[in-house]
Amino acid sequence: MTEPEIDYKAVFQALPGAVVLLTPELLYLDVNEEFLRQMGRTREQAAGGRFLGDDFAHSPNDPGAAVVRNVVASLRRVAETGERETMELQRYDGEDPEQPGTRYVRYFSMINTPVFGPDGRMALLMHRVEDVTELIRAREVALSLQEAMLPTPRCLGNHAWAARYRPAIDTLEVCGDWYDLVDLDGDRAAVAVGDVVGHGLPAAQVMGQLRSALSAASRSTDGPARALEVLGLYARSVEGAENTTAAGAFIDWDTRTITYSSAGHPPPALLRGDGTVEFLDRATDPPLGARPEPAPHPEATVSFTEGSVLVLYTDGLIERRHEDIDTGLARLARSLARHRAADPETLADALLADLLPPGGVTDDTALVIVRL
């Protein structure tokens, strides 16, 4: 029995994604039906022999013109290097052709791939486009939910503070990292950060429960160790809370002391006025629920001088694959010393700029900074 001959042109036209074939000089050779549908083009408008860069040449201020310039630059790099390139997400903010005067936003994921001939020379460039608008909108809703679960800005007496949250680029979802600040009686405050294992709504639901529980425990106990003990007992009844890490600190401005405790979490950093950084690592226990039986958490106290800065964070700020955690901690210490005179808001942005990878974080990151 002979195998049926494959009609590759028919396969190309039936591909579910929008695909364009170009010469190495970026001249159109062919486009599939999905490309015409997504781009709102006729086959004549994408006729072979036309230079891709001429798209939107008649309207250089159109948002689509900027996208085309980005596509051309990427394709030229692929033609030069012979390596596939995944472009940054492209946003198109244009006018709805079916409703003149109405604006709409679309997001596109684009991949440019070289196609080599039998002789090993580059014969074609393949430009693939996927409309991911609905996915991005769903993620935006999820991120709004995440932000709603985190505390709203509040006063800590006359003390300045700042907080940041950054989701991982590969998920853009709600996640399990959290931070919390509690204004206590007297000139005191409780600060905490935590990290639930996993991503998505299940992790966010666990995060919301644990953050609320720790916030309540901080208000009703005499220190961070006892608050984490209460949280640990509660976590045993919450599915998905296993191996959650958390760190808490009680700040007392009257006595100028910080009392802290950690459950498997990276140590808070205390930046002193002279630029030295002390990592508060003398009261560390395993993650929540890791012990077979509940046990008291350790607690330690350190003094501070006016103008010092306390920094709590989750591991996304310092940890990198194939890198020792001490390397990340040293990087954090250098950044803190370099920006020690900055106010909390400026310092928070500076730390993110210094420590997070240029392409975005691969793990969620929560950060709290308090000027002491």
Side-chain angles (χ1 to χ4, degrees), residues 1-17:
M1 180 178 178
T2 60
E3 295 183 357
E5 184 177 348
I6 299 176
D7 186 343
Y8 286 99
K9 187 173 182 64
V11 172
F12 173 71
Q13 291 299 328
L15 288 174

PDB file of all heavy atoms in Angstrom, residues 1-17:
ATOM      1  N   MET A   1       0.852  -1.198   0.000  1.00  0.00           N
ATOM      2  CA  MET A   1       0.000   0.000   0.000  1.00  0.00           C
ATOM      3  C   MET A   1       0.887   1.247   0.000  1.00  0.00           C
ATOM      4  O   MET A   1       1.770   1.396   0.841  1.00  0.00           O
ATOM      5  CB  MET A   1      -0.911   0.019   1.235  1.00  0.00           C
ATOM      6  CG  MET A   1      -1.826   1.222   1.300  1.00  0.00           C
ATOM      7  SD  MET A   1      -2.896   1.144   2.760  1.00  0.00           S
ATOM      8  CE  MET A   1      -3.765   2.704   2.578  1.00  0.00           C
ATOM      9  N   THR A   2       0.687   2.089  -0.990  1.00  0.00           N
ATOM     10  CA  THR A   2       1.489   3.304  -1.093  1.00  0.00           C
ATOM     11  C   THR A   2       0.916   4.388  -0.191  1.00  0.00           C
ATOM     12  O   THR A   2      -0.309   4.495  -0.026  1.00  0.00           O
ATOM     13  CB  THR A   2       1.514   3.815  -2.542  1.00  0.00           C
ATOM     14  OG1 THR A   2       0.171   4.089  -2.950  1.00  0.00           O
ATOM     15  CG2 THR A   2       2.150   2.789  -3.469  1.00  0.00           C
ATOM     16  N   GLU A   3       1.816   5.154   0.412  1.00  0.00           N
ATOM     17  CA  GLU A   3       1.372   6.239   1.274  1.00  0.00           C
ATOM     18  C   GLU A   3       0.848   7.395   0.435  1.00  0.00           C
ATOM     19  O   GLU A   3       1.385   7.686  -0.634  1.00  0.00           O
ATOM     20  CB  GLU A   3       2.527   6.728   2.144  1.00  0.00           C
ATOM     21  CG  GLU A   3       3.021   5.688   3.133  1.00  0.00           C
ATOM     22  CD  GLU A   3       4.112   6.241   4.016  1.00  0.00           C
ATOM     23  OE1 GLU A   3       4.509   7.413   3.795  1.00  0.00           O
ATOM     24  OE2 GLU A   3       4.563   5.522   4.920  1.00  0.00           O
ATOM     25  N   PRO A   4      -0.221   8.073   0.901  1.00  0.00           N
ATOM     26  CA  PRO A   4      -0.770   9.183   0.123  1.00  0.00           C
ATOM     27  C   PRO A   4       0.228  10.331   0.059  1.00  0.00           C
ATOM     28  O   PRO A   4       0.975  10.591   1.009  1.00  0.00           O
ATOM     29  CB  PRO A   4      -2.023   9.584   0.914  1.00  0.00           C
ATOM     30  CG  PRO A   4      -1.758   9.107   2.314  1.00  0.00           C
ATOM     31  CD  PRO A   4      -0.959   7.845   2.153  1.00  0.00           C
ATOM     32  N   GLU A   5       0.272  11.010  -1.066  1.00  0.00           N
ATOM     33  CA  GLU A   5       1.159  12.161  -1.225  1.00  0.00           C
ATOM     34  C   GLU A   5       0.613  13.326  -0.409  1.00  0.00           C
ATOM     35  O   GLU A   5      -0.586  13.611  -0.410  1.00  0.00           O
ATOM     36  CB  GLU A   5       1.242  12.551  -2.695  1.00  0.00           C
ATOM     37  CG  GLU A   5       2.216  13.687  -2.946  1.00  0.00           C
ATOM     38  CD  GLU A   5       2.346  14.002  -4.429  1.00  0.00           C
ATOM     39  OE1 GLU A   5       1.863  13.205  -5.243  1.00  0.00           O
ATOM     40  OE2 GLU A   5       2.929  15.053  -4.757  1.00  0.00           O
ATOM     41  N   ILE A   6       1.496  13.982   0.331  1.00  0.00           N
ATOM     42  CA  ILE A   6       1.083  15.082   1.190  1.00  0.00           C
ATOM     43  C   ILE A   6       1.096  16.385   0.408  1.00  0.00           C
ATOM     44  O   ILE A   6       2.100  16.737  -0.220  1.00  0.00           O
ATOM     45  CB  ILE A   6       2.008  15.193   2.417  1.00  0.00           C
ATOM     46  CG1 ILE A   6       1.946  13.910   3.240  1.00  0.00           C
ATOM     47  CG2 ILE A   6       1.620  16.390   3.280  1.00  0.00           C
ATOM     48  CD1 ILE A   6       2.911  13.890   4.417  1.00  0.00           C
ATOM     49  N   ASP A   7      -0.023  17.073   0.442  1.00  0.00           N
ATOM     50  CA  ASP A   7      -0.117  18.383  -0.204  1.00  0.00           C
ATOM     51  C   ASP A   7       0.307  19.441   0.823  1.00  0.00           C
ATOM     52  O   ASP A   7      -0.503  19.923   1.609  1.00  0.00           O
ATOM     53  CB  ASP A   7      -1.559  18.629  -0.674  1.00  0.00           C
ATOM     54  CG  ASP A   7      -1.700  19.915  -1.479  1.00  0.00           C
ATOM     55  OD1 ASP A   7      -0.789  20.763  -1.408  1.00  0.00           O
ATOM     56  OD2 ASP A   7      -2.731  20.074  -2.160  1.00  0.00           O
ATOM     57  N   TYR A   8       1.612  19.784   0.828  1.00  0.00           N
ATOM     58  CA  TYR A   8       2.119  20.695   1.851  1.00  0.00           C
ATOM     59  C   TYR A   8       1.554  22.104   1.719  1.00  0.00           C
ATOM     60  O   TYR A   8       1.422  22.820   2.702  1.00  0.00           O
ATOM     61  CB  TYR A   8       3.647  20.729   1.805  1.00  0.00           C
ATOM     62  CG  TYR A   8       4.269  19.468   2.367  1.00  0.00           C
ATOM     63  CD1 TYR A   8       4.712  18.450   1.537  1.00  0.00           C
ATOM     64  CD2 TYR A   8       4.371  19.294   3.742  1.00  0.00           C
ATOM     65  CE1 TYR A   8       5.257  17.291   2.054  1.00  0.00           C
ATOM     66  CE2 TYR A   8       4.917  18.132   4.277  1.00  0.00           C
ATOM     67  CZ  TYR A   8       5.360  17.129   3.425  1.00  0.00           C
ATOM     68  OH  TYR A   8       5.889  15.984   3.944  1.00  0.00           O
ATOM     69  N   LYS A   9       1.186  22.507   0.512  1.00  0.00           N
ATOM     70  CA  LYS A   9       0.575  23.832   0.355  1.00  0.00           C
ATOM     71  C   LYS A   9      -0.783  23.876   1.040  1.00  0.00           C
ATOM     72  O   LYS A   9      -1.128  24.863   1.710  1.00  0.00           O
ATOM     73  CB  LYS A   9       0.432  24.183  -1.125  1.00  0.00           C
ATOM     74  CG  LYS A   9      -0.029  25.615  -1.362  1.00  0.00           C
ATOM     75  CD  LYS A   9       0.009  25.963  -2.834  1.00  0.00           C
ATOM     76  CE  LYS A   9      -0.419  27.416  -3.054  1.00  0.00           C
ATOM     77  NZ  LYS A   9       0.498  28.375  -2.431  1.00  0.00           N
ATOM     78  N   ALA A  10      -1.544  22.789   0.917  1.00  0.00           N
ATOM     79  CA  ALA A  10      -2.840  22.720   1.590  1.00  0.00           C
ATOM     80  C   ALA A  10      -2.652  22.692   3.110  1.00  0.00           C
ATOM     81  O   ALA A  10      -3.410  23.312   3.863  1.00  0.00           O
ATOM     82  CB  ALA A  10      -3.618  21.487   1.131  1.00  0.00           C
ATOM     83  N   VAL A  11      -1.613  21.974   3.570  1.00  0.00           N
ATOM     84  CA  VAL A  11      -1.321  21.934   4.997  1.00  0.00           C
ATOM     85  C   VAL A  11      -0.987  23.338   5.507  1.00  0.00           C
ATOM     86  O   VAL A  11      -1.461  23.774   6.554  1.00  0.00           O
ATOM     87  CB  VAL A  11      -0.151  20.968   5.288  1.00  0.00           C
ATOM     88  CG1 VAL A  11       0.280  21.078   6.750  1.00  0.00           C
ATOM     89  CG2 VAL A  11      -0.567  19.532   4.973  1.00  0.00           C
ATOM     90  N   PHE A  12      -0.159  24.059   4.730  1.00  0.00           N
ATOM     91  CA  PHE A  12       0.235  25.414   5.106  1.00  0.00           C
ATOM     92  C   PHE A  12      -0.989  26.317   5.241  1.00  0.00           C
ATOM     93  O   PHE A  12      -1.119  27.076   6.209  1.00  0.00           O
ATOM     94  CB  PHE A  12       1.201  25.975   4.067  1.00  0.00           C
ATOM     95  CG  PHE A  12       1.545  27.423   4.262  1.00  0.00           C
ATOM     96  CD1 PHE A  12       2.352  27.840   5.311  1.00  0.00           C
ATOM     97  CD2 PHE A  12       1.048  28.389   3.388  1.00  0.00           C
ATOM     98  CE1 PHE A  12       2.657  29.174   5.481  1.00  0.00           C
ATOM     99  CE2 PHE A  12       1.344  29.725   3.557  1.00  0.00           C
ATOM    100  CZ  PHE A  12       2.157  30.121   4.609  1.00  0.00           C
ATOM    101  N   GLN A  13      -1.901  26.233   4.307  1.00  0.00           N
ATOM    102  CA  GLN A  13      -3.088  27.082   4.354  1.00  0.00           C
ATOM    103  C   GLN A  13      -4.013  26.711   5.506  1.00  0.00           C
ATOM    104  O   GLN A  13      -4.731  27.566   6.024  1.00  0.00           O
ATOM    105  CB  GLN A  13      -3.850  26.990   3.025  1.00  0.00           C
ATOM    106  CG  GLN A  13      -3.139  27.624   1.848  1.00  0.00           C
ATOM    107  CD  GLN A  13      -2.895  29.106   2.046  1.00  0.00           C
ATOM    108  OE1 GLN A  13      -3.678  29.797   2.697  1.00  0.00           O
ATOM    109  NE2 GLN A  13      -1.782  29.611   1.508  1.00  0.00           N
ATOM    110  N   ALA A  14      -3.958  25.451   5.935  1.00  0.00           N
ATOM    111  CA  ALA A  14      -4.865  24.992   7.006  1.00  0.00           C
ATOM    112  C   ALA A  14      -4.269  25.140   8.392  1.00  0.00           C
ATOM    113  O   ALA A  14      -4.950  24.855   9.386  1.00  0.00           O
ATOM    114  CB  ALA A  14      -5.237  23.523   6.753  1.00  0.00           C
ATOM    115  N   LEU A  15      -3.027  25.591   8.504  1.00  0.00           N
ATOM    116  CA  LEU A  15      -2.421  25.731   9.823  1.00  0.00           C
ATOM    117  C   LEU A  15      -3.284  26.611  10.721  1.00  0.00           C
ATOM    118  O   LEU A  15      -3.799  27.640  10.288  1.00  0.00           O
ATOM    119  CB  LEU A  15      -1.022  26.344   9.697  1.00  0.00           C
ATOM    120  CG  LEU A  15       0.069  25.442   9.119  1.00  0.00           C
ATOM    121  CD1 LEU A  15       1.352  26.233   8.913  1.00  0.00           C
ATOM    122  CD2 LEU A  15       0.329  24.253  10.036  1.00  0.00           C
ATOM    123  N   PRO A  16      -3.445  26.227  12.009  1.00  0.00           N
ATOM    124  CA  PRO A  16      -4.309  27.014  12.903  1.00  0.00           C
ATOM    125  C   PRO A  16      -3.729  28.372  13.271  1.00  0.00           C
ATOM    126  O   PRO A  16      -4.456  29.280  13.633  1.00  0.00           O
ATOM    127  CB  PRO A  16      -4.441  26.110  14.131  1.00  0.00           C
ATOM    128  CG  PRO A  16      -3.229  25.236  14.096  1.00  0.00           C
ATOM    129  CD  PRO A  16      -2.927  25.005  12.656  1.00  0.00           C
ATOM    130  N   GLY A  17      -2.425  28.543  13.217  1.00  0.00           N
ATOM    131  CA  GLY A  17      -1.815  29.824  13.521  1.00  0.00           C
ATOM    132  C   GLY A  17      -1.606  30.652  12.276  1.00  0.00           C
ATOM    133  O   GLY A  17      -1.608  30.146  11.149  1.00  0.00           O
TER     134      GLY A  17
END
